[in-house]
Amino acid sequence: MASPSPHTPTPNSLPRIVVASLIGTTIEWYDFFLYGSAAALVFNKLFFPGSDPLVGTLLSFLTYAVGFAARPLGALVFGHFGDRLGRKRLLVVSLLMMGGATCAIGALPTHAAAGSLAPVLLTALRLVQGFALGGEWGGAVLLVAEHGDPRRRGFWASWPQTGAPAGQLLASAVLSALTTLLPDEEFTAWGWRIPFLLSGVLVIVGLWIRLSVDESPVFKAARARAEARRRDVGARERMPVVAVLRDQWRDVLVAMGARMAENIGYYVITAFVLVYATEHAHLPKQTALNAVLIGSAVHFAVIPAWGALSDRVGRRPVYLLGAVGVGAWAFPFFALAGTGSSWALVVAVTVGLVFHGAMYAPQAAFFSEMFTTGVRYSGASIGAQFSSVAAGAPAPLIATALLAEHGSGTPVALYVMAAAALTVVAVGCARETRHRDLSDGSDGSDGRDEHDQEDRDDRNGHGTPSLAPERR
């Protein structure tokens, strides 16, 4: 009797793995987005007092951007050990690091109590958050993608992606509840600490769930082959980061370009909008938070639908639709957000996030399918996180500076449109990947793998197209 495919999940394992990845990513994104919301609402007053409100917000967003600077380092470190030791172990480490840093932020002294030491400590903890998140994303999506049914990989792998809007939803809901229940003075004095300290409870729950799942069978099979080759023929195993940058650098560049509109668009829509709505349109904090809350709920719902569509029509068409949509929506977004109407703001944020979901949903499967097993964690993480330094990190900072300089959302809209154009070019240069088999026989020992056969098949007129260059 034929044995099952090494990446075929057992009857009830896949839903459990999806839940484990989703819970973990939700907690990590809750921690990360909580900082962004607090940076827009209170950190400018607590850690950078004595400044003009917009200048204080700029300084606050600067510490927010520092977290992105640590994400590439996290991608390198977690990618290396994730390709050597396994996806599951590194996901546990990233969860503990993120949760610990977030709890510590909730206990930090403010500038009034510790002077200049306060923003220094805040920045250091933000670096730890960024480092952990840089390793979280790749492992979470790969654990699902490598377990899942190849025919529905886009759908199943999109569920960890819902951790971003779920985390945003949770962070916004907690902040919204606190700003409703507490007067501004009490929220600024101590209420803002509660959501950060709550992260400790969430981490315990997430850790318990993550420890209950199995390692990726595709990864275990690749490691077994690598060990057998070293034992039998003494094959040398190259560092995953070296292998992926030498053999699949084009895939890395495509992934980086694909992230530009997705990353910039998201942080403009969810983080900068809090500044734009309160400082420019003069709406209450609560109204701005509620708009992000409603938009995030819709975002959560549409991501699996976009992922399922990518299984039917391909990753590239869905991704391109999202990039064009985010670019085209930029001007209507600021026109609606600037009216001072709460419902117009809800529409602006919600439609923007629906278009964003068309990029974010297929991204997990798309990036996973670009890289071979022996370097997949490194390749997906590097492609995703290195671009965040140029995209998501400075996005709220650039948008706030443009608003301060011009007093209008028009320059910010042009900024988003330029990012969308870059993404359209990058994805347009990619090849479709949805039929690729992740169990490709690659172990990272000598840089030669199933993609080499795919390249030869392409030249012979058959086989699944590959983004990897030919190795000689």
Side-chain angles (χ1 to χ4, degrees):
M1 183 171 60
S3 60
S5 169
H7 59 277
T8 300
T10 55
N12 296 313
S13 65
L14 185 55
R16 184 173 69 250
I17 290 160
V18 170
V19 169
S21 291
L22 172 58
I23 293 294
T25 53
T26 298
I27 293 168
E28 298 242 12
W29 283 112
Y30 165 82
D31 293 346
F32 205 74
F33 288 141
L34 181 62
Y35 189 103
S37 298
L41 297 175
V42 296
F43 281 177
N44 56 334
K45 302 170 186 174
L46 296 174
F47 293 92
F48 307 98
S51 301
D52 174 85
L54 272 180
V55 173
T57 302
L58 278 170
L59 293 172
S60 183
F61 274 143
L62 187 60
T63 63
Y64 176 76
V66 162
F68 287 84
R71 284 165 70 169
L73 180 59
L76 290 172
V77 173
F78 279 85
H80 171 81
F81 288 104
D83 282 326
R84 290 289 177 86
L85 303 178
R87 292 41 167 139
K88 175 182 171 179
R89 294 182 187 180
L90 273 297
L91 286 175
V92 169
V93 173
S94 70
L95 186 63
L96 290 173
M97 288 184 67
M98 177 67 88
T102 304
C103 285
I105 290 174
L108 273 183
T110 63
H111 190 278
S116 59
L117 179 62
V120 171
L121 292 174
L122 181 67
T123 302
L125 291 172
R126 181 61 175 172
L127 284 168
V128 175
Q129 280 190 322
F131 181 82
L133 192 62
E136 160 70 22
W137 180 84
V141 299
L142 292 188
L143 197 63
V144 176
E146 292 180 343
H147 272 91
D149 177 0
R151 296 167 300 178
R152 304 188 68 199
R153 186 181 296 131
F155 171 74
W156 288 114
S158 71
W159 278 101
Q161 300 291 76
T162 64
Q168 180 75 70
L169 191 64
L170 186 58
S172 298
V174 172
L175 285 171
S176 181
L178 288 171
T179 55
T180 300
L181 295 172
L182 298 175
D184 282 350
E185 296 78 12
E186 292 187 27
F187 178 78
T188 303
W190 57 269
W192 67 271
R193 298 182 183 275
I194 295 174
F196 288 90
L197 297 173
L198 179 63
S199 178
V201 178
L202 299 176
V203 166
I204 293 173
V205 175
L207 190 62
W208 173 69
I209 294 174
R210 271 201 174 162
L211 288 172
S212 69
V213 302
D214 295 328
E215 181 55 81
S216 157
V218 171
F219 169 79
K220 289 192 289 187
R223 294 310 301 166
R225 288 192 299 270
E227 291 170 7
R229 295 188 64 167
R230 285 198 303 272
R231 183 177 61 250
D232 297 341
V233 299
R236 182 177 61 87
E237 186 173 10
R238 288 180 295 155
M239 290 182 61
V241 65
V242 173
V244 77
L245 293 179
R246 194 190 81 168
D247 298 330
Q248 294 189 254
W249 57 270
R250 292 174 185 167
D251 303 300
V252 172
L253 291 179
V254 166
M256 291 175 66
R259 284 272 284 170
M260 298 303 290
E262 179 267 305
N263 223 217
I264 290 173
Y266 189 78
Y267 289 108
V268 167
I269 294 168
T270 60
F272 171 70
V273 73
L274 299 177
V275 177
Y276 189 79
T278 56
E279 299 290 339
H280 183 74
H282 306 295
L283 287 167
K285 292 178 187 176
Q286 185 64 44
T287 300
L289 285 169
N290 286 344
V292 174
L293 194 68
I294 294 169
S296 296
V298 175
H299 196 210
F300 181 92
V302 300
I303 284 177
W306 286 124
L309 183 62
S310 78
D311 286 327
R312 300 180 69 88
V313 303
R315 318 298 183 213
R316 291 174 69 249
V318 177
Y319 211 115
L320 287 169
L321 173 64
V324 172
V326 164
W329 187 245
F331 278 104
F333 174 85
F334 285 104
L336 289 168
T339 62
S341 164
S342 59
W343 283 109
L345 182 62
V346 169
V347 171
V349 171
T350 301
V351 174
L353 288 177
V354 168
F355 282 126
H356 174 271
M359 291 183 285
Y360 201 54
Q363 187 180 96
F366 193 27
F367 288 11
S368 298
E369 291 158 352
M370 286 183 186
F371 301 98
T372 54
T373 306
V375 298
R376 187 169 291 133
Y377 202 141
S378 295
S381 296
I382 291 171
Q385 304 305 336
F386 271 68
S387 60
S388 67
V389 176
L397 193 64
I398 291 173
T400 303
L402 289 172
L403 178 63
E405 178 68 22
H406 299 281
S408 166
T410 299
V412 185
L414 292 172
Y415 170 51
V416 173
M417 291 180 69
L422 285 173
T423 292
V424 168
V425 171
V427 177
C429 291
R431 296 184 183 178
E432 185 54 60
T433 63
R434 69 185 171 114
H435 294 303
R436 181 162 295 159
D437 182 6
L438 295 187
S439 181
D440 54 21
S442 168
D443 56 34
S445 297
D446 59 3
R448 299 189 65 84
D449 51 57
E450 191 70 18
H451 284 308
D452 290 316
Q453 182 61 49
E454 289 179 359
D455 290 334
R456 290 191 291 272
D457 288 344
D458 287 342
R459 292 192 295 274
N460 291 331
H462 58 85
T464 303
S466 170
L467 287 170
E470 178 182 344
R471 264 80 72 185
R472 299 186 184 278

